[in-house]
C-alpha cells in the first residue's frame, strides 16, 4: 500500500514495536518529529520523563508549522493518546494534507523481547498497559476518520545486532595500561532484575577478569536523570562494596563519588577503613561536595550553598586523613580539631 506524500503520518505502537526503525528507513530525519528526540533536546536525554510536557509542547508546534507549509510530517510517539491523534488529524485537514495512521502489528511477545533486550527497558507493567491500549486502538482506528490506516506487517527480522568480537586486553600484573594508568570501572546503573547480588558479583568478576584496576560505585540516593529513571535501583555503595569485597577479586574498591553532605566524614572514614581491612588494603574514597538538590530534600539532608559545601569537603578530607593516620593521638588541624583519632580496624598499610 502506497502512503501518499506529502502527508501527515502518525505512528502508533507500543515501545519496541519498531516505529522509529520503520520511520528511519522511509523518511528523512527532518520529516520525523519524535517525542523521544525532543526530550533529548529540552531534557537530559530521550528517556528524561521530566521533560515530557515541554517536549510535547515543542512537538505540537513543529507539527503545526510543518503541516502549514504542506510538508510531510511523521509523528513518532506511542500514538496512544486519542486527544492528540484527533488534534493532528484536524491539523492535517486544515492544511489540506492526507492524514495517515500507521499501526504497527508487531506481536506482543516480540515487543516484550525487544524491550527487555534494550539498554533502558520500560517497566513490564507500563509495556503491558501500552499493549492493551494498542489492541483497543487497532479495533477502533477505522472509525477515527483517517484517510488511510496502514498496517505494518510484523517484521521479526532483526536489525543486525552488531555483536562485535569482544577482545579482552590484558594488562600488567599491577593492572596498569601500557601508559602506566590504572583504570577503574565506574558503575552507575544497576539493572539487576531479580538477582541483585548475582548481578553485582558478575559485574565485579568480569571487571576483574578484564584487567580493570578497580571498581567504583556511584553514590546517589535517587538515580540521577543523566543516567536512568528515578525508580531504577541505586544501592547504598558502602554496603554494596562490602558484598564485592567478599568475592576475592584483586579490584580496588571505592566510590565515585561520595558527597560529603550525605554522611559525617568520620562515618565515611570508618566505612572506608573497614572496607580497606576486608580487602587487604584495596579501598579508596572519591569525595565531592554534592550537588543534586532533589535527593537531599527527599532524604532530609541539608544542601548548603556551594562555598559552604566546598569548605565542608576540605574539612571532611582532613577528618578522614586524621582518623586514618597511625595512632590515636589528638588532632588539631587547619579546619578540624579532634580530641583523639581512634579508628580501628586500622588500615593494613597505614603508610600508603
Ligand atoms: N528492532 C529490530 N527489528 C525491527 C525493528 C526494530 O530488531 N524490525 C529493534 C530496534 O533495533 C530497537 C528495538 O527493536 O532496538 C525497538 O525498535 P524501535 O524502532 O526503537 O521501536 P519504537 O517503536 O520506536 O520504540 P519506542 O516507543 O520505545 O521509541
Ligand atoms: Mg521510538
Amino acid at each position: 500500500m502506497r502512503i501518499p506524500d506529502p502527508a501527515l503520518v502518525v505512528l502508533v505502537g507500543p515501545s519496541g514495536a519498531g516505529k522509529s526503525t520503520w520511520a528511519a528507513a522511509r523518511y528523512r530525519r527532518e520529516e520525523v518529529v519524535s517525542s523521544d528526540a525532543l526530550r533529548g533536546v529540552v531534557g537530559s536525554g530521550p528517556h528524561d520523563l521530566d521533560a515530557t510536557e515541554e517536549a510535547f509542547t515543542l512537538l505540537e508546534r513543529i507539527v503545526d508549522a510543518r503541516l502549514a507549509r504542506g510538508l510531510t510530517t511523521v509523528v513518532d510517539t506511542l500514538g496512544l493518546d486519542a486527544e492528540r491523534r484527533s488534534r493532528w488529524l484536524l491539523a492535517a485537514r486544515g492544511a489540506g494534507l492526507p492524514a495517515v495512521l500507521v499501526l504497527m502489528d508487531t506481536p506482543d511477545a516480540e515487543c516484550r523481547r525487544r524491550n527487555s533486550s534494550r539498554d533502558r527497558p520500560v517497566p513490564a507493567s507500563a509495556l503491558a498497559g501500552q499493549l492493551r491500549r494498542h489492541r483497543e486502538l487497532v479495533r477502533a482506528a477505522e472509525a477515527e476518520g483517517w484517510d488511510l490506516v496502514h498496517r505494518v506487517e510484523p517484521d521479526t527480522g532483526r536489525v543486525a545486532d552488531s555483536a562485535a568480537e569482544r577482545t579482552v586486553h590484558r594488562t600488567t600484573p599491577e593492572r596498569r595500561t601500557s601508559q602506566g594508568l590504572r583504570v577503574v570501572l565506574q558503575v552507575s546503573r544497576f539493572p539487576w532484575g531479580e538477582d541483585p547480588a548475582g548481578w553485582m558479583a558478575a559485574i565485579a568478576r568480569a571487571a576483574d577478569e578484564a584487567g580493570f584496576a578497580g571498581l567504583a560505585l556511584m553514590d546517589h540516593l535517587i538515580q540521577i536523570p543523566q543516567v536512568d529513571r528515578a525508580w531504577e535501583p541505586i544501592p547504598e555503595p558502602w554496603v554494596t562494596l562490602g558484598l564485592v569485597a567478599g568475592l576475592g577479586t584483586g579490584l580496588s574498591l571505592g566510590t565515585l563519588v561520595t558527597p560529603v553532605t550525605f554522611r559525617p566524614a568520620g562515618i565515611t572514614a570508618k566505612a572506608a577503613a573497614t572496607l580497606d581491612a576486608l580487602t587487604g588494603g584495596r579501598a579508596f574514597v572519591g569525595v565531592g561536595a554534592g550537588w543534586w538538590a532533589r535527593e537531599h530534600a527527599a532524604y532530609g539532608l541539608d544542601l548548603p550553598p556551594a562555598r559552604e559545601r566546598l569548605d565542608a569537603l576540605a574539612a571532611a578530607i582532613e577528618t578522614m586523613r586524621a582518623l586514618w593516620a597511625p595512632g590515636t593521638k589528638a588532632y588539631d588541624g587547619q579546619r578540624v580539631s579532634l580530641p583523639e583519632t581512634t579508628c580501628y580496624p586500622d588500615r593494613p598499610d597505614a603508610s600508603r
Side-chain angles (χ1 to χ4, degrees):
M1 202 188 299
R2 259 190 65 77
I3 295 179
D5 195 85
L8 164 73
V9 178
V10 173
L11 305 181
V12 176
S15 285
K19 301 179 296 295
S20 302
T21 306
W22 182 89
R26 286 161 187 81
Y27 292 92
R28 287 188 297 116
R29 201 168 42 182
E30 294 74 13
E31 293 173 325
V32 181
V33 189
S34 145
S35 50
D36 281 349
L38 289 170
R39 277 193 195 98
V41 172
V42 291
S44 62
H47 303 279
D48 187 352
L49 293 181
D50 290 345
T52 296
E53 201 181 312
E54 276 165 304
F56 270 93
T57 304
L58 274 179
L59 182 138
E60 300 293 355
R61 285 196 62 173
I62 296 169
V63 169
D64 287 347
R66 291 187 62 86
L67 293 179
R69 290 189 176 78
L71 298 169
T72 286
T73 305
V74 181
V75 185
D76 181 7
T77 69
L78 290 174
L80 296 173
D81 184 316
E83 245 172 68
R84 288 192 193 281
R85 280 197 311 276
S86 81
R87 234 203 116 254
W88 297 326
L89 179 58
L90 285 176
R93 290 266 189 281
L97 287 183
V100 180
L101 194 70
V102 172
L103 288 175
M104 307 299 295
D105 277 343
T106 315
D108 292 9
E110 180 66 9
C111 293
R112 286 200 195 90
R113 191 195 64 73
R114 287 182 193 160
N115 180 54
S116 63
S117 67
R118 272 174 143 181
D119 200 30
R120 290 155 197 250
V122 304
S125 57
L127 183 58
Q130 292 174 12
L131 290 165
R132 183 177 44 73
R133 285 156 67 204
H134 184 67
R135 276 193 297 276
E136 287 163 13
L137 173 57
V138 167
R139 283 194 294 272
E142 291 292 346
E144 285 190 352
W146 299 89
D147 297 301
L148 174 66
V149 176
H150 177 77
R151 312 280 296 246
V152 176
E153 295 294 310
D155 168 16
T156 42
R158 315 268 173 272
V159 171
D161 286 335
S162 61
E165 286 278 304
R166 283 206 304 160
T167 325
V168 174
H169 295 284
R170 291 267 150 226
T171 45
T172 61
E174 309 80 57
R175 298 179 181 238
R176 287 185 191 279
T177 66
S178 52
Q179 278 83 41
L181 297 173
R182 284 167 55 79
V183 178
V184 167
L185 178 69
Q186 156 78 334
V187 183
S188 54
R189 294 180 65 223
F190 301 83
W192 56 26
E194 301 292 297
D195 184 16
W199 183 90
M200 198 62 244
I203 295 285
R205 291 202 174 99
D208 192 42
E209 170 72 12
F212 279 101
L215 182 124
L217 300 185
M218 191 162 78
D219 193 356
H220 277 291
L221 298 166
I222 299 175
Q223 179 56 283
I224 59 175
Q226 293 87 335
V227 174
D228 215 335
R229 296 164 301 197
W231 59 84
E232 300 296 346
I234 176 82
E236 203 288 326
W238 296 102
V239 171
T240 311
L241 290 170
L243 172 102
V244 178
L247 300 175
T249 70
L251 296 165
S252 295
L253 302 179
T255 51
L256 283 180
V257 303
T258 280
V260 295
T261 45
F262 282 8
R263 307 169 192 83
I267 303 303
T268 302
K270 170 63 82 173
T274 305
L275 187 67
D276 206 53
L278 295 175
T279 56
R282 285 182 284 108
F284 63 89
V285 185
V287 274
W291 58 270
W292 199 27
R294 176 174 165 188
E295 65 189 347
H296 288 80
Y299 283 71
L301 301 174
D302 283 339
L303 183 70
R307 176 188 293 273
E308 284 173 45
R309 297 206 305 279
L310 289 166
D311 285 345
L313 176 60
I317 292 169
E318 219 184 298
T319 302
M320 289 189 276
R321 286 193 166 142
L323 287 166
W324 290 334
T328 63
K329 57 186 179 300
Y331 176 80
D332 193 14
Q334 212 187 335
R335 296 169 193 267
V336 180
S337 292
L338 304 168
E340 60 177 310
T341 53
T342 308
C343 181
Y344 296 104
D346 212 347
R347 302 177 63 193
D349 177 10
S351 65
R352 279 182 317 141

